[in-house]
Amino acid sequence: MTVTAPVVGLPESVFDIGDRLEELLKQARQETNDGTLPACVRARLADTVEVLRSRLVSKTERDPRSLFDLDERLVELLDSADEAAEVGEVPPDLLQEINDYLEAFQTKVDRIAGYWRWQESVAAICEEEAERLSARKRAAERRVNRLKEMLMAFMMSRGFRKLEGEKSTVGLQCNSMPSLVIDDPLQISECFFHKTLRFTKTELQELVYQLADGQLRQRLEAALMGSGWEVDSSAVRFAITNGSNVPGARLVKGNHVRLR
C-alpha cells in the first residue's frame, strides 16, 4: 500500500489532509477483507482523521492547573461558601469562582477520560497488530524448520557435509549435546521414573507425622500402582553421562543445519 507523504517543511492544509484521507479510504477499500479493515489500515485512517479534526476544531487554551490543584482550590472555595452562609449570604463573586472551578474541574476530568480512552484504543490496536505479527512469526518459524528438515534429509541421504553456493554455505554440523533416545522404557530402572503428586497442606502434614493404615495410605498406594509415571530424562542423562549403564536408554548425537 503506497501513501503520498506531504513535502517535508511545508505544512499540510485542511484540503491536503482531506485529499490524503480520500486516497487512504480508496486504498482501504481495496484491502478490506470481508468488510473488516486490517488493524494497520485502521490506525493510518485514525491518525489522518485525528490530524484533520485537530485542524478543524478550535483549540482552547490549556489549563496548566492539575486535577489536584483544582480539587484543593475547590475545597477551599466551598469551605469559604459554608462560612459565608453561616453569617449571611454567599457573595456573588464567590459563587461565580466556584462555578468557574467546577467547570474547569469537569473539563479536566473529561480530558483525562478522553486520554484514557485514546490510550486504550492505541493499546487495542497494538495488541491486534502484535497478534498478527506473532502469527506471522510462528508461520515463518515453521517454514524455516521444515526447510531445515528437508535440507538435513537431503544431505544425510547423499552423504554431503555441506552445500556451497556463490554467497552462502549450508553445513551439516553435530549438535553440542547428544539427544536422549528411549528405546524400551520397560528396561529402565524404576529409580529413574517420577510422578508429580498433589496434596493439601493438611494431607502433607498427616503424611509427615504418620503413615499408618487409612485413606491417605490407600491413596498413595493407588498412585504408586497407577499409570502416569514418566521417565526422568535428566536423571537418565546424568547417569549415562557419568558412565552408568542404563538398559533401555542411550545418548545419540544428532545433527542440525547452520547458515554461515
Side-chain angles (χ1 to χ4, degrees), residues 157-212:
S157 64
R158 287 161 175 77
F160 295 155
R161 298 301 300 177
K162 62 181 179 179
L163 301 175
E164 294 185 354
E166 293 183 2
K167 298 181 179 179
S168 304
T169 300
V170 177
L172 193 62
Q173 184 173 336
C174 292
N175 294 333
S176 57
M177 293 289 292
S179 300
L180 179 66
V181 178
I182 304 295
D183 294 322
D184 187 0
L186 297 179
Q187 297 185 36
I188 297 178
S189 175
E190 291 184 349
C191 65
F192 292 111
F193 285 79
H194 69 94
K195 184 177 183 179
T196 301
L197 302 176
R198 295 176 62 88
F199 294 99
T200 64
K201 189 174 183 179
T202 304
E203 291 173 338
L204 184 59
Q205 288 174 345
E206 183 181 353
L207 179 63
V208 172
Y209 296 147
Q210 62 176 8
L211 192 58

Side-chain angles (χ1 to χ4, degrees), residues 90-103:
V90 180
D93 56 343
L94 179 58
L95 289 176
Q96 183 60 45
E97 189 174 2
I98 291 175
N99 290 332
D100 292 341
Y101 268 86
L102 279 174
E103 183 178 355

Side-chain angles (χ1 to χ4, degrees), residues 194-241:
H194 69 94
K195 184 177 183 179
T196 301
L197 302 176
R198 295 176 62 88
F199 294 99
T200 64
K201 189 174 183 179
T202 304
E203 291 173 338
L204 184 59
Q205 288 174 345
E206 183 181 353
L207 179 63
V208 172
Y209 296 147
Q210 62 176 8
L211 192 58
D213 291 337
Q215 185 178 3
L216 178 59
R217 181 169 181 174
Q218 294 174 1
R219 286 185 56 195
L220 290 176
E221 290 176 346
L224 183 63
M225 300 300 297
S227 60
W229 294 95
E230 299 177 353
V231 176
D232 188 345
S233 299
S234 299
V236 176
R237 178 190 294 274
F238 181 80
I240 297 177
T241 303

Side-chain angles (χ1 to χ4, degrees), residues 1-237:
M1 177 176 179
T2 58
V3 180
T4 303
V7 179
V8 178
L10 296 178
E12 285 185 294
S13 66
V14 173
F15 303 104
D16 294 333
I17 300 173
D19 292 340
R20 183 153 59 92
L21 179 60
E22 182 180 4
E23 182 65 24
L24 278 172
L25 288 172
K26 290 180 181 178
Q27 296 178 356
R29 184 186 297 273
Q30 299 174 357
E31 297 188 12
T32 300
N33 185 16
D34 297 332
T36 303
L37 284 174
C40 57
V41 175
R42 292 205 311 270
R44 289 196 294 268
L45 286 171
D47 291 341
T48 307
V49 171
E50 178 61 25
V51 172
L52 183 60
R53 187 198 65 81
S54 63
R55 293 293 184 89
L56 295 176
V57 177
S58 56
K59 296 183 179 179
T60 57
E61 185 178 354
R62 182 180 178 275
D63 193 339
R65 295 169 296 184
S66 69
L67 190 64
F68 301 100
D69 295 335
L70 294 172
D71 180 65
E72 290 177 359
R73 180 55 180 163
L74 189 57
V75 171
E76 293 176 358
L77 292 174
L78 291 175
D79 290 340
S80 300
D82 290 339
E83 294 174 359
E86 290 178 357
V87 297
E89 186 178 357
V90 180
D93 56 343
L94 179 58
L95 289 176
Q96 183 60 45
E97 189 174 2
I98 291 175
N99 290 332
D100 292 341
Y101 268 86
L102 279 174
E103 183 178 355
F105 187 88
Q106 293 170 346
T107 301
K108 184 69 70 173
V109 171
D110 289 338
R111 287 183 176 273
I112 293 174
Y115 179 78
W116 185 340
R117 295 190 185 96
W118 173 48
Q119 290 302 311
E120 284 183 336
S121 65
V122 171
I125 292 174
C126 291
E127 182 180 5
E128 293 178 2
E129 188 68 9
E131 291 177 356
R132 184 183 68 84
L133 293 176
S134 179
R136 292 187 62 182
K137 175 179 178 291
R138 291 193 297 268
E141 289 175 343
R142 287 194 297 268
R143 289 192 291 269
V144 169
N145 290 333
R146 287 196 297 268
L147 179 60
K148 287 181 177 180
E149 293 172 357
M150 181 195 71
L151 285 172
M152 189 164 63
F154 174 81
M155 295 173 69
M156 294 188 68
S157 64
R158 287 161 175 77
F160 295 155
R161 298 301 300 177
K162 62 181 179 179
L163 301 175
E164 294 185 354
E166 293 183 2
K167 298 181 179 179
S168 304
T169 300
V170 177
L172 193 62
Q173 184 173 336
C174 292
N175 294 333
S176 57
M177 293 289 292
S179 300
L180 179 66
V181 178
I182 304 295
D183 294 322
D184 187 0
L186 297 179
Q187 297 185 36
I188 297 178
S189 175
E190 291 184 349
C191 65
F192 292 111
F193 285 79
H194 69 94
K195 184 177 183 179
T196 301
L197 302 176
R198 295 176 62 88
F199 294 99
T200 64
K201 189 174 183 179
T202 304
E203 291 173 338
L204 184 59
Q205 288 174 345
E206 183 181 353
L207 179 63
V208 172
Y209 296 147
Q210 62 176 8
L211 192 58
D213 291 337
Q215 185 178 3
L216 178 59
R217 181 169 181 174
Q218 294 174 1
R219 286 185 56 195
L220 290 176
E221 290 176 346
L224 183 63
M225 300 300 297
S227 60
W229 294 95
E230 299 177 353
V231 176
D232 188 345
S233 299
S234 299
V236 176
R237 178 190 294 274

